Amino acid sequence: MTQPTASSPVAACAAGDALDLVAEPPVLANDGSGVCGRPADTLLREELDFYGDHAWTLNPHLSAREAIDHLDEEITRLSHVPRGWQADEVAINIFLLACGLLNTIDEDLREPSLRLPSRIAALRLGRAVRWAVEASRGIKPRSHGKLRAWRDRWLDGLSDFLRLVATRDTSNPDTLAASTDKLSVMLREPLPAALQKSRVGVPSPFRRLDMTHLDVLALGRRYVAKFPDRAQPILLLGLRTSGSYFAPLLHAFFTAEGFATVAVLTMVPGKGAGAWERRQLEHYARQGFAAVILDDSPYTGGTIFTAFDIARRAGFAVDKLKALIPAHPARPDWYKPLSDDMIVSLAPEQWHKRSLLTPAAAQARLAEYFRAQGFDDVRVVESSRVAALNAWLDDASPDARGERLKRIFEIHLERGRDRREIRHVLAKSVGWGWLGYHAFLAGQRLSGHVPPILGLRDGILYAEWIAQDELSAAARERGTAQPEAIAAYVAARVRHLGLRGGSAISANLQRQDNGIRVLGKMLSRAHGSFGINMLMQSRVERRLRRRACPVPTLIDGKMQRPEWIVGPNGPLKTDFEHHGLGKEELNVADPAYDLAAAILDWRMSRDEERRLIQRYIEASGDTDVAKRLFMQKLLAGLWAMKQAREHMFAKQHTIERQQALHQRFMAAWHFLTVEAARYCGGLLPPTDKPQWRTPLIALDIDGVIDRRVFGFPHTTVAGVAALSLLRRHGFSVTVNSA
């Protein structure tokens, strides 16, 4: 990919995760005078009111108790919300929260298990090891009778509501509200206390994969067209987490389509089928059901193949095994090893959000936004310039799973007869239903630090695209990195995007606790051999979770230079909404991480770091940040190395891209080495002004004061003790190393 220059329109706005790592657009100091010379209060009042009532969506990691409370709120809201897009959003939220609760219950019924890689889980050895681990918990498992009965009644009540959603008969809010009566009653029944503390799994399709429930229904219609036999009983075998959302919706759809017998079961292939799940599979196999496997877009397909193997061993014949799986641009042909009569898929270009990003579809939405700003005529125009911008977006995209769908539009505006102007808008997919509201809230609350947003609708966030070549020469000349501006941005997140009420801040998110797991894996190596450090990792992670942050915040999570652009009045942070919390994100709520990442990515000097921290403390009141900074520096460096390594070997890249990834890995490696040396040096006793004196000792480094236990050069307790001893006895030390 050709690197865009800072003055080209291509460098106008960071296209989020699609930007090349090499690009380093200049950044200005924010003078606080607003953005683009336009007022920040141009958002639609109806959107401000609706999304403002959903501030809880900043944290996607709900407990089951929180999901129940918010589901009850949405059911109540459905009876009085305005008809139109608001009612549609509330219906989507009920679907997402209700299915999330179902997923949590199914996880609880399965109980914890040994999770193995899909290839190992499919082997006889893997199955034997898992059976041994589960059998070691005791002969008598805890009773699940009451909870399983509640789960079955919940699924039955959910079907009444989803039948209207599946048939798109949601125009009458009164009818829709009545369909939730069973759910409302059941929400008042007590559930086990331990279950209420469990985390609700974040569904990737609706958080980061650009899918909607309409795509799930499109898959169902394709299945009906391909296998129209309504007399054939169907077992919808959902693979958790995503399958817990797909299965209830498709159950309602197939029932509405006239299929006589449709059952629902979910499982986690990596855990294997539990005892009850195995019995259910065997029962449905004996009854002649077809097992229809449901999951989101896979990358390797290993989980799907493992599910096929589990179902086959339970007694399903090969001709009774099907799969409804959407294809993702990162791996559109994953299902090629399967026969055509086993798979029903949906190509990425057929997903619903693609249809929302055509010029014709954007016309109505952008006309609504700009007319609210006083423009009389609003037209979306196709031009060679916007075609070049979108071609660059497509070329720059790493085509990775989780890459957000985005498009740029050129808008011609008129106000009166003589006032005409041209603007550009970036439309970006940010989630579906409540899983995307955080983007609007962040964009609105961070006004002045991010490109101006226009609104959020149907999971698409619309923001102004600021062309760098349209800025004044004076603005570009002032484009130098200013730690104070970065500090002001991070502090603004602390003030406006706090998570003080969220229960997931210090909770164990298990598989999604990515930041804690990266640190825990590294620090546990201090305990020695391979087996011991694995045993110690969970203990280290528990200690890390107890290190509370006084200002838990929805962090940015991605502070690299290409994420910043130059605005007319200061620097603007792009891609500001989705790298902090999510299924594949860091899931760290400490703003010290953003500061540490900025120090790494901007390669700040000690003086710049001092200014960064000082300005941040002044703007946020977070006086404790210095104590937490070193641990977050470790995480920032380790996370950067991990991501660079994964991207480097995940697919073929151009030489320039490969070199950029290599440089990022080495920059993080160097950063960790230097920061660890400075930290350990601070543990030594104070000394007078450094000077050469006798006696002089030439000290080897490798294996003496330099080890690589943690994956980068650093000293050890013994090394610090040795240097301290030499200093106390007046030795001068010189390095003897090649």
Side-chain angles (χ1 to χ4, degrees):
M1 183 185 74
T2 303
Q3 178 181 333
T5 62
S7 61
S8 73
V10 170
C13 180
D17 28 11
L19 274 183
D20 192 282
L21 292 173
V22 180
E24 295 185 358
V27 174
L28 301 176
N30 194 333
D31 61 6
S33 59
V35 182
C36 303
R38 305 186 190 109
D41 57 349
T42 54
L43 298 173
L44 295 181
R45 171 49 56 186
E46 61 189 68
E47 290 194 354
L48 284 168
D49 291 342
F50 183 82
Y51 299 125
D53 287 339
H54 292 81
W56 55 270
T57 62
L58 291 175
N59 183 1
H61 298 293
L62 302 178
S63 67
R65 178 68 261 168
E66 290 168 331
I68 290 170
D69 292 341
H70 295 312
L71 178 55
D72 191 44
E73 293 170 2
E74 294 300 284
I75 290 174
T76 302
R77 194 189 311 273
L78 191 59
S79 62
H80 59 76
V81 71
R83 298 190 180 190
W85 69 268
Q86 295 100 322
D88 291 340
E89 287 290 332
V90 173
I92 293 169
N93 293 340
I94 294 173
F95 156 66
L96 292 171
L97 290 167
C99 291
L101 184 58
L102 175 67
N103 179 79
T104 306
I105 292 171
D106 281 349
E107 281 286 295
D108 187 78
L109 291 171
R110 174 60 176 87
E111 294 190 330
S113 176
L114 180 66
R115 186 181 293 272
L116 298 171
S118 57
R119 291 184 179 180
I120 298 177
L123 299 176
R124 181 176 297 178
L125 175 62
R127 296 195 296 270
V129 170
R130 182 184 293 115
W131 177 88
V133 170
E134 294 184 3
S136 67
R137 294 197 183 101
I139 299 176
K140 186 178 180 181
R142 62 190 179 94
S143 174
H144 288 305
K146 289 184 179 180
L147 183 58
R148 204 178 300 283
W150 193 96
R151 179 257 190 199
D152 292 341
R153 289 188 291 115
W154 180 255
L155 184 59
D156 180 61
L158 184 57
S159 295
D160 293 343
F161 170 75
L162 291 181
R163 197 169 293 114
L164 296 178
V165 175
T167 56
R168 308 191 74 167
D169 185 16
T170 57
S171 58
N172 188 335
D174 295 333
T175 303
L176 199 59
S179 69
T180 63
D181 288 345
K182 289 183 182 178
L183 300 182
S184 297
V185 172
M186 292 186 65
L187 287 176
R188 292 168 176 77
E189 297 181 22
L191 290 173
L195 171 66
Q196 295 188 44
K197 295 178 182 179
S198 300
R199 300 293 112 200
V200 174
V202 179
S204 291
F206 309 121
R207 176 74 175 189
R208 67 188 188 97
L209 295 184
D210 301 328
M211 288 195 70
T212 72
H213 74 283
L214 300 174
D215 301 311
V216 181
L217 295 173
L219 275 171
R221 286 191 291 272
R222 282 175 166 262
Y223 181 91
V224 172
K226 193 169 186 177
F227 305 106
D229 183 7
R230 266 71 169 176
Q232 169 63 56
I234 298 174
L235 170 64
L236 298 174
L237 184 56
L239 307 187
R240 299 194 293 268
T241 302
S242 300
S244 295
Y245 292 77
F246 288 16
L249 182 60
L250 286 172
H251 176 271
F253 172 78
F254 285 130
T255 301
E257 284 289 316
F259 281 77
T261 308
V262 184
V264 170
L265 182 68
T266 68
M267 71 174 185
V268 179
K271 290 183 177 181
W276 182 83
E277 293 166 351
R278 194 160 46 247
R279 290 195 299 271
Q280 290 294 104
L281 285 171
E282 293 169 352
H283 166 75
Y284 289 120
R286 288 193 301 269
Q287 297 297 317
F289 277 66
V292 181
I293 295 171
L294 311 173
D295 199 8
D296 62 41
S297 306
Y299 186 69
T300 64
T303 301
I304 311 298
F305 298 134
T306 300
F308 272 126
D309 185 61
I310 292 173
R312 182 186 55 78
R313 286 188 282 105
F316 285 93
V318 174
D319 63 341
K320 295 289 189 181
L321 293 175
K322 315 293 181 187
L324 265 67
I325 312 290
H328 191 274
R331 191 72 183 275
D333 58 349
W334 70 270
Y335 54 84
K336 292 301 183 183
L338 300 174
S339 63
D340 185 60
D341 62 348
M342 293 182 72
I343 184 72
V344 176
S345 190
L346 187 70
E349 57 269 18
Q350 296 169 324
W351 291 12
H352 176 66
K353 283 192 177 181
R354 299 268 177 172
S355 67
L356 299 178
L357 295 183
T358 63
Q363 171 68 49
R365 184 67 57 238
L366 294 174
E368 180 183 8
Y369 289 142
F370 281 109
R371 282 180 180 141
Q373 297 183 19
F375 290 98
D376 303 317
D377 187 57
V378 181
R379 288 178 293 119
V380 175
V381 176
E382 298 185 63
S383 67
S384 58
R385 184 187 187 191
V386 81
L389 288 170
N390 283 316
W392 177 80
L393 276 183
D394 293 338
D395 292 340
S397 169
D399 201 27
R401 192 172 184 271
E403 166 72 5
R404 302 302 175 99
L405 182 64
K406 53 182 79 72
R407 222 72 193 146
I408 298 170
F409 298 101
E410 182 173 307
I411 318 299
H412 290 214
L413 303 169
E414 291 186 14
R415 196 197 310 262
R417 291 185 177 181
D418 302 324
R419 298 186 60 182
R420 300 179 180 178
E421 58 181 290
I422 298 176
R423 297 191 198 172
H424 290 83
V425 171
L426 174 68
K428 177 182 178 182
S429 171
V430 293
W432 189 239
W434 74 266
L435 293 167
Y437 296 174
H438 65 289
F440 179 92
L441 294 169
Q444 182 247 332
R445 296 181 182 186
L446 297 175
S447 177
H449 298 276
V450 301
I453 67 169
L454 299 172
L456 170 70
R457 201 71 62 83
D458 299 319
I460 305 292
L461 183 72
Y462 298 87
E464 295 211 31
W465 173 280
I466 303 170
Q468 304 292 271
D469 58 346
E470 294 178 357
L471 298 173
S472 66
R476 289 197 296 270
E477 288 175 1
R478 297 197 309 268
T480 56
Q482 295 290 337
E484 290 82 0
I486 298 174
Y489 168 71
V490 177
R493 297 189 75 96
V494 173
R495 294 194 308 271
H496 303 303
L497 301 178
L499 301 174
R500 293 168 181 80
S503 65
I505 302 308
S506 60
N508 182 358
L509 300 179
Q510 298 176 347
R511 292 182 66 207
Q512 298 172 13
D513 220 346
N514 299 316
I516 292 293
R517 289 169 64 196
V518 167
L519 273 178
K521 184 176 181 180
M522 182 205 77
L523 295 174
S524 63
R525 294 175 187 165
H527 292 279
S529 63
F530 177 73
I532 296 176
N533 64 23
M534 288 185 65
L535 294 173
M536 291 298 297
Q537 183 173 340
S538 60
R539 179 177 295 184
V540 172
E541 290 177 2
R542 284 196 298 270
R543 292 188 63 182
L544 289 171
R545 289 189 193 94
R546 289 198 293 266
R547 298 169 65 93
C549 170
V551 286
T553 301
L554 175 61
I555 66 167
D556 182 292
K558 196 172 184 181
M559 300 294 288
Q560 299 168 25
R561 288 194 179 210
E563 298 290 317
W564 295 79
I565 62 168
V566 182
N569 302 304
L572 301 175
K573 179 62 173 66
T574 67
D575 204 20
F576 51 84
E577 78 283 352
H578 73 272
H579 288 291
L581 297 177
K583 188 169 184 177
E584 301 297 329
E585 308 303 344
L586 268 166
N587 292 315
V588 170
D590 191 343
Y593 176 85
D594 281 342
L595 299 174
I599 295 168
L600 162 62
D601 294 321
W602 289 84
R603 303 186 183 184
M604 291 186 183
S605 66
R606 298 299 279 178
D607 178 65
E608 289 174 326
E609 178 180 335
R610 179 190 57 78
R611 289 158 49 198
L612 174 80
I613 302 303
Q614 180 178 343
R615 177 70 183 99
Y616 166 77
I617 293 175
E618 292 172 354
S620 68
D622 180 12
T623 57
D624 187 59
V625 66
K627 298 177 183 178
R628 313 190 310 271
L629 189 59
F630 175 67
M631 195 63 69
Q632 298 303 326
K633 285 180 177 179
L634 290 180
L635 179 56
L638 291 168
W639 190 252
M641 289 172 62
K642 177 179 181 291
Q643 289 193 311
R645 183 168 55 245
E646 289 177 351
H647 284 97
M648 200 181 304
F649 300 110
K651 58 177 286 187
Q652 291 184 343
H653 298 286
T654 63
I655 293 176
E656 293 81 5
R657 174 68 174 171
Q658 194 79 8
Q659 184 178 15
L661 290 167
H662 177 73
Q663 289 174 346
R664 178 156 175 77
F665 181 92
M666 293 307 301
W669 187 85
H670 176 75
F671 174 79
L672 288 170
T673 303
V674 171
E675 292 299 332
R678 285 172 174 164
Y679 178 81
C680 293
L683 302 176
L684 296 174
T687 183
D688 298 331
K689 182 178 180 181
Q691 58 182 335
W692 292 109
R693 58 182 180 268
T694 58
L696 175 68
I697 182 171
L699 187 63
D700 191 10
I701 292 179
D702 297 332
V704 179
I705 61 169
D706 180 20
R707 299 283 303 279
R708 297 192 184 184
V709 176
F710 298 142
F712 57 88
H714 57 84
T715 191
T716 63
V717 173
V720 171
L723 291 173
S724 179
L725 189 64
L726 290 169
R727 175 177 289 186
R728 284 202 303 269
H729 287 78
F731 282 83
S732 290
V733 178
T734 185
V735 173
N736 174 21
S737 175

